[in-house]
Amino acid sequence: MATIVVKQIGSPIRRPKIQRATLVGLGLNKLNRTRELPDTPAVRGMVESIPHLVTIVEERA
């Protein structure tokens, strides 16, 4: 199964609660942390909803 590596690049301080909840849902909570997640439409949607806080570092097949 394909995976993507997501890195947190922004702080959730002074952001709406929904954006903080999205970060927690992705398994991120501190700057520069990375997570390898399955490449599904749900995960892609979460990443696209907070592009100012996370970035996709790598896509693995």
Side-chain angles (χ1 to χ4, degrees), residues 2-58:
T3 61
I4 57 174
V5 178
V6 180
K7 180 178 182 179
Q8 184 176 346
I9 58 169
S11 172
I13 296 173
R14 298 188 65 179
R15 300 284 180 193
K17 286 184 181 180
I18 190 71
Q19 292 181 3
R20 279 188 240 149
T22 303
L23 276 176
V24 171
L26 289 170
L28 298 168
N29 61 352
K30 292 187 180 180
L31 285 177
N32 299 316
R33 292 254 173 113
T34 59
R35 281 288 306 248
E36 185 172 350
L37 302 165
D39 191 4
T40 62
V43 172
R44 287 279 181 167
M46 291 171 77
V47 170
E48 289 174 11
S49 70
I50 52 171
H52 54 289
L53 298 178
V54 298
T55 185
I56 296 176
V57 178
E58 183 180 352

